[in-house]
Amino acid sequence: MKQRLAVALEARPWIWSFAAALLVWIAIAASVAGHGAMATIAVALQFGTFYAVVGIAQMLVIAAGPGNIDLSIPGVMTVAGYLAMGMTGEVNSGLVLGLLVGLGVGLAAGVFNIVLIDALRIPPMIGTLASGFVFQSMAIAYSRHSHARPAPLLADFVSARLLGIPLIALVFMALTVLTAFLLRRSIFGRSVLAIGQNREAARLAGLAVRPSLALVYLASGILAALAGILLSAYSGGAALNMGGEYLLMSIAVVVLGGTSIAGGQASPAGLWGAAILLDLVVTMLNVLGVGAGLRFVVTGIIIIGVLALARGPEARY
Amino acid sequence: MAADNAPFVRLAGIRKNFGAVQALAGVDLSIPAGRMVSVVGHNGAGKSTLMQVLAGTLAADAGEIGIGGVERQAGYDVHVAQALGIRCVFQELSLCPNLSVVENTRVVHPGLGGFGWRRRCRALIVEALDAIFPGHNIDPDRTAGELAIGQRQMVETARAFTEAGTKVRLVILDEPTASLDADAASHLLRFTEAARAKGIALVFISHRLPEILGHADEVVVMRDGEVAGGGAARDFTEERLVELMGVVREAASEGGRTETSVGALRVEETGAAGRRLPLRLHAGEIVGLGGLAGHGQRAVLQAVFAAAHGRDGHWRVRGSVAYVSGDRQSEGVFPLWSVGLNTTVSRLRALAHAGIISLRSERTLAEEWRRRLEIRTPGIDRPITSLSGGNQQKVLLARALASAADTILFDDPLRGVDVGTKRELYRHVAEAARAGKAFLWHTTENIELENCDRIYVFHRGTITDEIPRAELSEERLIRASFAAGMSDATGMSGAPDMSGAR
Amino acid sequence: MLAEIRLPSASPRVLLPAAALVAMLVLIFAMEPRAMSYFGLTLLLNFALPAVFAAMAQMAVIAAGDIDLGLGPFISLVNCLAATWLTTRPVAGIVALALLVAAYAAIGALIHLRRLPSIVVTLGASFVWLGLALLVLPTPGGGAPAWLTTLLAVRPPGVPLPVLISILVGLIGWLLLMRTSYGTVLRGIGGNPRAVARAGWSLLGGRVALYTAAGILGVLAGLALTGLNTAGDATVGTEYTLVSIAAVIVGGGEFVGGIVSPAGAVIGAWIMLLTGSLLSFLDISTDWQLSVQGGILILVLGLRALEERPAA
């Protein structure tokens, strides 16, 4: 029985993040005596969606194997957010152009990263680090010209609720399900997971290694751009530091969610558990009236602690 | 030095379980000083586990460990073992690829610190290499990662015989010749006699039965975690060993074929590339790539594979190609996946509609190949890593066969696989060839070439001979391998072509 | 034997960044001849000290096959502690800094014992460092201990202080990691941990040693930054995470396999530092500094990739 439970848990690495999120939520609910406990979940879902979107991006990249990581996500978010807001020009009629330009930026960023990694053979970590610099400075330069607010329609969409649940949370949960399906059932998904486990074996097994990796970084760029656009719309406009915490958060939700940092395995559902968890922790600390400094300390310790407790001492080498 | 009547190592009733799996079920083993004991058995018979217990890298669950006439089982670990002069050359290469040969020597001698350690380590390893592999041609300042696999194995073996502080009393050689060419292997086997003369005890693990019978003093046969038999090596024959190991099947030559129906041309070398004989492969043919290891056979396989994917102009390849590597850890297995997913991964395109894989067809395919290749697993959903090495290799062959590729490239795929599994696989290969598949088969074991219809022999990247099976003889093979008649026919003194080794 | 005495500069991995550094210096000197003086170099390379220490700290972690994404905030925290406690309550300050080094050792041990990915643990730690820095010094301020500013104002004869210390740090790092026998074992752990463990070495000990070194070097980086800025700021060190990683990699190091070069890391730190100076001499808008820095990084790496791994 005990063994079967262990096997079941091992097959579902995302359970931990949901369990932890549940515990934190119970703690919050207890401290506020139940008042507004459901509302905290809705809020957590709202902010958690942004984490989850960059989480999907980072998860796809990390699943593609050792060394694969996208550190350009904050830069892409920022420059896409600025350009999308600027091109939209604060009117609904400009939305199509704004969105196209914003997502186009993400696409271009993905292509740029692929060129660095595939053609120039720069290690992804340093390549995306460098491209992140470039994107961020583009945002800085662009921010001199334009500081537009989001179009009303987009602003309404990102804060809309359906039965009390944030609409964008539902949209991106659907995207998460699609991602999970593609990873399991599509040739692309299988290829990514195979490459993540053993790149040379994947090549010799006849899988399309380079195109699969390229797709992964393309997807990451587009999703990061999407997150940047939605976050800008939600926050009333883009800001230069808006991507800052998302580098850390994108990786945190992936790993807390049960995806192996070593690659070859992905846990899409866990992204949401981790995203909600991280958001609820902030809520809890706010409830407790803790200052910003201590809030960072506690968040950091939770990330390390959950990781240390949830991961069994399985062989790493 | 231990008295002649007391063995240097005495293991009694050694038990070891891994979870529910019993790896060692009470094994007795004694190794006298100055003798070479060969431990043989299938993959998974418990040889490696037993050796890890002896080397102190794995603690036994129960049993007695006596070294040098003293009981040591309490607190016996790798430190104690090393202090007692026990060394081990493990099956997986255990050099640090980023360190030089000299620095790698330092790593295994904890006591060798302080000023001038570099000079001392260099002297030690160069001396050992010269003694064991004369004419080895290895620069001790090269990093291990730059060396060919055979050279790395040489360094590792030589390193085990270096002495700093503690005297070497026992060396465990776990398949020391697996990556060596015939020349280096014979140097090593000759050296074991010198080592024995100095009183060093040796454990020799190998799948090459002639090596064992020709060189070991004693043989111990293991089966299912127990000792199935043993005695003086001269009292054994290959058949007897195979029988004790639990494999009673057809002889090696059974895999060889009597008739060949040659079909359409599958692979053809178009670029000259400096080879005197152009390589050609037809449907239904099994063509061997022989010669000393690292002389360009692997480079040919890689080039053909690349050409099939449109990236090498020197080869014309018709039809699809699959690749089976003998280095399953780094080039074969997807360790997080089940047996089934590992089997079907090269066939996904045919299993999918609009990019979406049909799980039902996938299962059917995996089950079919599990059955056809008799892969020993409780089910295709079990992790591939739960399988023995030989069965994992079967899965890789199943992957290639299931891929429906017209041509299958073998890069020494049966390296380190036990005899029984090998014979099964020879049969499957012959069967697939009859059904029209073409095989290009690089092997480091000359006996395996008997399964081929024709053999191209390689020397320094060029083909020096083409031998039809009917004319295959050890003598002709060796002559071509060493390019006899050419000015540099001294084998090891010429630098092997490294293009095939990564 | 000739090959026995291998100078760090003999390694091809270090040659390319060294050439890039020389090219940058030549360009800077051509545009601004005054920079070629003792005083000019001191000014130009003033901030080399924190960058070099940070690069060496990162190198220690990368040598273990890990990566430290929390180094920048760690340096900020040291900066805040140095600007407050170390000035007003020196004993408490020293104890706090010693505890920080111990924390680094503990992180190394935790990563090893629980087999955690370093990237995420150090990421989590970065939150902790940032939070602690904000607790110690919520708003920028404080001052540097007098001895620290005096120390950094020393003008040694002939060679400017930042140059002297950079070379010294690189040399010591090279001796410890590349030449000593334990340094060799430490690199071996990055290359093939299992083999090193089988030879009887403690992997835990190795990782703790490397992380302790990283902690000490991180503290030194923070102290150097405090001496230069003469104030504390909880976010001042953020850029050093990326700068240090880039420095190690530009200097010939790799993320896996224990392949690092102390001399290269120092050169890499200088390159990262000088990109900023180069741009201001070229009169390029600060808006584009990051772009050009990234571009130079890509250029150096692209060249190395093409040089080392000819088309497959």
Side-chain angles (χ1 to χ4, degrees):
Chain A
M1 178 63 207
K2 201 176 162 191
Q3 207 167 355
R4 263 172 53 194
L5 186 67
V7 169
L9 282 176
E10 192 158 323
R12 294 167 185 80
W14 45 268
I15 280 184
W16 298 105
S17 60
F18 280 99
L22 185 66
L23 280 179
V24 174
W25 180 70
I26 290 171
I28 295 172
S31 67
V32 298
H35 298 298
M38 291 316 287
T40 60
I41 289 204
V43 172
L45 277 175
Q46 179 82 54
F47 286 101
T49 299
F50 303 121
Y51 292 158
V53 176
V54 292
I56 295 174
Q58 196 69 271
M59 178 186 73
L60 287 173
V61 176
I62 286 177
N68 282 308
I69 194 157
D70 190 350
L71 298 182
S72 71
I73 286 178
V76 177
M77 284 176 71
T78 313
V79 70
Y82 267 105
L83 278 168
M85 295 306 112
M87 290 297 162
T88 305
E90 305 191 354
V91 290
N92 289 342
S93 57
L95 256 182
V96 172
L97 176 67
L99 286 176
L100 279 179
V101 169
L103 293 176
V105 166
L107 189 74
V111 171
F112 188 60
N113 284 335
I114 294 161
V115 169
L116 298 186
I117 294 162
D118 191 62
L120 292 180
R121 280 172 283 175
I122 294 175
M125 184 173 244
I126 205 78
T128 57
L129 176 75
S131 67
F133 276 132
V134 175
F135 305 141
Q136 185 69 29
S137 81
M138 286 175 174
I140 294 171
Y142 187 78
S143 72
R144 308 267 179 221
H145 309 292
S146 159
H147 224 106
R149 299 181 53 76
L153 190 63
L154 190 62
D156 290 345
F157 168 73
V158 289
S159 50
R161 300 270 172 107
L162 192 71
L163 306 169
I165 301 167
L167 187 60
I168 56 167
L170 295 174
V171 170
F172 285 102
M173 279 177 189
L175 183 71
T176 310
V177 171
L178 179 69
T179 306
F181 176 79
L182 289 177
L183 280 171
R184 192 171 136 74
R185 295 285 301 277
S186 75
I187 293 177
F188 162 68
R190 287 284 181 89
S191 301
V192 170
L193 296 180
I195 294 162
Q197 293 173 69
N198 192 337
R199 183 174 172 151
E200 189 59 14
R203 185 181 73 85
L204 292 174
L207 297 177
V209 173
R210 291 167 65 184
S212 301
L213 281 175
L215 260 182
V216 158
Y217 282 95
L218 268 189
S220 178
I222 292 170
L223 284 168
L226 194 57
I229 296 167
L230 295 173
L231 186 62
S232 304
Y234 189 76
S235 324
L240 282 177
N241 63 351
M242 65 186 249
E245 72 169 319
Y246 281 84
L247 175 56
L248 310 186
M249 284 307 185
S250 70
I251 303 172
V253 293
V254 169
V255 180
L256 293 188
T259 294
S260 162
I261 198 94
Q265 170 264 340
S267 175
L271 294 174
W272 287 89
I276 294 167
L277 168 69
L278 288 171
D279 206 78
L280 284 179
V281 167
V282 174
T283 311
M284 181 172 73
L285 295 171
N286 280 333
V287 169
L288 296 174
V290 169
L294 202 56
R295 216 158 53 217
F296 278 117
V297 174
V298 171
T299 309
I301 288 175
I302 283 178
I303 290 176
I304 298 174
V306 168
L307 199 68
L309 292 176
R311 267 178 80 97
E314 81 268 28
R316 182 170 46 168
Y317 303 116
Chain B
M1 177 129 310
D4 275 353
N5 49 0
F8 176 64
V9 170
R10 192 186 66 83
L11 302 179
I14 299 292
R15 291 176 175 279
K16 180 73 196 176
N17 290 351
F18 295 106
V21 180
Q22 189 174 43
L24 296 176
V27 174
D28 301 340
L29 178 71
S30 65
I31 309 166
R35 307 275 279 176
M36 181 151 88
V37 176
S38 193
V39 180
V40 294
H42 273 266
N43 284 324
K47 303 181 306 266
S48 290
T49 310
L50 184 65
M51 291 307 117
Q52 289 209 38
V53 169
L54 179 53
T57 48
L58 207 60
D61 295 337
E64 295 168 18
I65 300 174
I67 313 283
V70 183
E71 290 303 310
R72 310 268 185 184
Q73 56 266 31
Y76 188 76
D77 65 8
V78 63
H79 298 277
V80 177
Q82 273 181 346
L84 292 169
I86 295 176
R87 303 291 176 72
C88 192
V89 183
F90 283 104
Q91 209 169 337
E92 322 94 272
L93 296 166
S94 54
L95 296 175
C96 299
N98 59 328
L99 299 185
S100 72
V101 172
V102 170
E103 289 172 332
N104 267 297
T105 309
R106 189 271 171 277
V107 168
V108 291
H109 291 302
L112 229 168
F115 276 104
W117 65 270
R118 219 168 261 272
R119 186 173 33 77
R120 292 198 296 276
C121 282
R122 169 196 305 280
L124 279 176
I125 191 69
V126 168
E127 187 193 358
L129 277 170
D130 288 346
I132 305 172
F133 304 105
H136 53 80
N137 212 14
I138 295 171
D139 175 1
D141 287 311
R142 300 259 318 259
T143 57
E146 293 174 306
L147 301 177
I149 186 162
Q151 291 180 314
R152 272 182 278 162
Q153 179 133 33
M154 289 187 206
V155 170
E156 198 165 349
T157 307
R159 191 175 66 162
F161 286 97
T162 55
E163 286 184 342
T166 50
K167 274 193 87 65
V168 176
R169 305 294 302 276
L170 168 73
V171 178
I172 300 164
L173 298 162
D174 193 350
E175 290 196 46
T177 57
S179 306
L180 298 183
D181 57 56
D183 196 40
S186 73
H187 278 308
L188 173 60
L189 291 168
R190 218 170 302 146
F191 176 78
T192 62
E193 277 153 36
R196 277 176 268 178
K198 284 200 290 180
I200 297 174
L202 297 165
V203 177
F204 183 73
I205 295 176
S206 174
H207 285 305
R208 300 180 181 177
L209 302 183
E211 281 181 355
I212 293 166
L213 295 174
H215 293 86
D217 299 306
E218 288 169 33
V219 178
V220 171
V221 182
M222 289 191 69
R223 185 169 64 198
D224 302 332
E226 293 176 333
V227 172
R234 62 177 176 276
D235 298 338
F236 279 86
T237 61
E238 285 192 35
E239 277 313 308
R240 173 82 184 122
L241 279 182
V242 170
E243 192 181 311
L244 273 174
M245 284 191 283
V247 198
V248 191
R249 288 189 189 248
E250 41 307 40
S253 55
E254 196 71 14
R257 284 125 38 77
T258 47
E259 55 182 301
T260 308
S261 56
V262 172
L265 191 62
R266 288 284 179 220
V267 176
E268 183 185 16
E269 190 171 16
T270 52
R275 287 191 182 81
R276 284 193 294 156
L277 295 166
L279 191 152
R280 292 157 76 89
L281 173 70
H282 300 84
E285 254 191 327
I286 305 177
V287 168
L289 306 180
L292 300 177
H295 275 252
Q297 300 95 332
R298 189 184 145 88
V300 164
L301 296 179
Q302 291 276 348
V304 171
F305 185 78
H309 294 82
R311 287 193 299 270
D312 193 313
H314 293 304
W315 296 84
R316 189 172 300 141
V317 179
R318 294 195 187 79
S320 52
V321 164
Y323 196 104
V324 184
S325 169
D327 189 352
R328 61 178 169 274
Q329 305 294 353
S330 49
E331 296 180 345
V333 157
F334 299 110
L336 299 178
W337 274 356
S338 65
V339 173
L341 291 181
N342 266 288
T343 307
T344 56
V345 66
S346 292
R347 185 69 171 155
L348 295 180
R349 230 160 266 288
L351 297 172
H353 300 286
I356 301 302
I357 299 158
S358 155
L359 293 186
R360 186 178 302 169
S361 330
E362 187 178 22
R363 277 201 80 84
T364 312
L365 183 71
E367 282 290 1
E368 178 194 338
W369 284 100
R370 183 184 74 89
R371 210 174 41 247
R372 284 174 66 171
L373 259 59
E374 301 163 62
I375 296 165
R376 283 174 204 96
T377 173
I380 56 166
D381 294 323
R382 294 295 297 270
I384 180 113
T385 47
S386 70
L387 266 55
S388 69
N391 270 301
Q392 290 187 23
Q393 212 60 44
K394 276 192 190 174
V395 174
L396 297 187
L397 182 62
R399 180 193 294 168
L401 293 172
S403 78
D406 302 302
T407 302
I408 297 181
L409 308 174
F410 275 177
D411 182 9
D412 206 5
L414 305 182
R415 187 195 307 161
V417 171
D418 64 88
V419 179
T421 307
K422 268 183 187 168
R423 290 181 181 177
E424 285 177 45
L425 290 178
Y426 295 154
R427 190 161 45 79
H428 292 300
V429 169
E431 202 173 287
R434 271 195 294 276
K437 301 245 186 212
F439 288 86
L440 208 49
W441 188 345
H442 165 43
T443 172
T444 50
E445 292 180 47
N446 288 347
I447 187 103
E448 251 174 29
L449 294 173
E450 286 177 15
N451 295 293
C452 302
D453 302 316
R454 282 184 298 127
I455 295 107
Y456 291 105
V457 187
F458 281 68
H459 177 75
R460 304 181 95 186
T462 70
I463 294 171
T464 50
D465 198 2
E466 178 181 348
I467 312 176
R469 188 182 52 241
E471 297 168 26
L472 178 64
S473 71
E474 191 80 359
E475 194 230 335
R476 181 163 171 189
L477 201 57
I478 286 171
R479 207 172 39 207
S481 303
F482 288 89
M486 294 165 81
S487 57
D488 57 353
T490 42
M492 287 311 290
S493 66
D497 170 47
M498 289 310 148
S499 55
R502 292 184 306 133
Chain C
M1 274 202 173
L2 241 174
E4 183 158 357
I5 307 154
R6 278 197 177 174
L7 293 174
S9 58
S11 157
R13 286 185 169 276
V14 184
L15 283 181
L16 189 62
L21 177 63
V22 170
M24 287 173 82
L25 282 172
V26 166
L27 205 59
I28 288 173
F29 293 155
M31 280 182 298
E32 191 58 67
R34 277 174 300 172
M36 219 180 335
S37 65
Y38 180 96
F39 185 69
L41 272 178
T42 308
L43 214 61
L44 191 66
L45 292 166
N46 221 357
F47 278 83
L49 291 188
V52 163
F53 282 124
M56 295 299 270
Q58 189 68 254
M59 186 196 67
V61 175
I62 288 179
D66 291 348
I67 188 119
D68 185 356
L69 289 186
L71 185 59
F74 182 78
I75 290 171
S76 301
L77 173 56
V78 172
N79 170 239
C80 290
L81 282 170
T84 54
W85 295 11
L86 202 58
T87 316
T88 54
R89 286 169 288 168
V91 176
I94 289 168
V95 170
L97 293 180
L99 282 176
L100 286 186
V101 174
Y104 249 75
I107 287 176
L110 178 74
I111 285 173
H112 185 80
L113 291 174
R114 294 297 296 169
R115 290 161 160 72
L116 300 178
S118 63
I119 198 167
V120 193
V121 175
T122 57
L123 192 70
S126 76
F127 277 45
V128 177
W129 310 139
L130 174 62
L132 289 176
L134 284 170
L135 286 175
V136 173
L137 192 67
T139 53
W147 57 268
L148 201 53
T149 40
T150 317
L151 197 66
L152 287 175
V154 167
R155 297 284 168 257
V159 189
L161 185 74
V163 179
L164 186 69
I165 295 188
S166 294
I167 292 174
L168 223 56
V169 169
L171 202 64
I172 293 170
W174 176 70
L175 280 173
L176 288 180
L177 194 62
M178 309 304 279
R179 296 303 295 181
T180 67
S181 60
Y182 191 57
T184 299
V185 172
L186 289 177
R187 282 183 292 128
I189 291 175
N192 189 344
R194 207 155 65 159
V196 178
R198 266 184 189 160
W201 297 95
S202 161
L203 295 185
L204 175 65
R207 215 183 220 99
V208 168
L210 285 168
Y211 273 79
T212 307
I216 293 170
L217 289 159
V219 166
L220 290 177
L223 290 179
L225 192 60
T226 315
L228 293 169
N229 282 345
T230 64
D233 180 342
T235 58
V236 71
T238 313
E239 61 177 300
Y240 285 104
T241 303
L242 307 184
V243 165
S244 65
I245 296 172
V248 174
I249 302 307
V250 168
E254 291 191 9
F255 285 115
V256 288
I259 298 170
V260 291
S261 158
V266 171
I267 292 172
W270 278 33
I271 289 177
M272 292 314 289
L273 184 75
L274 286 179
T275 46
S277 314
L278 193 61
L279 291 176
S280 42
F281 285 131
L282 285 168
D283 211 20
I284 292 174
S285 157
T286 50
D287 291 350
W288 293 100
Q289 271 199 9
L290 285 176
S291 263
V292 180
Q293 273 183 338
I296 289 177
L297 186 58
I298 290 165
L299 188 72
V300 172
L301 281 166
L303 283 176
R304 190 179 93 190
L306 295 178
E307 179 207 49
E308 281 185 0
R309 287 167 286 185

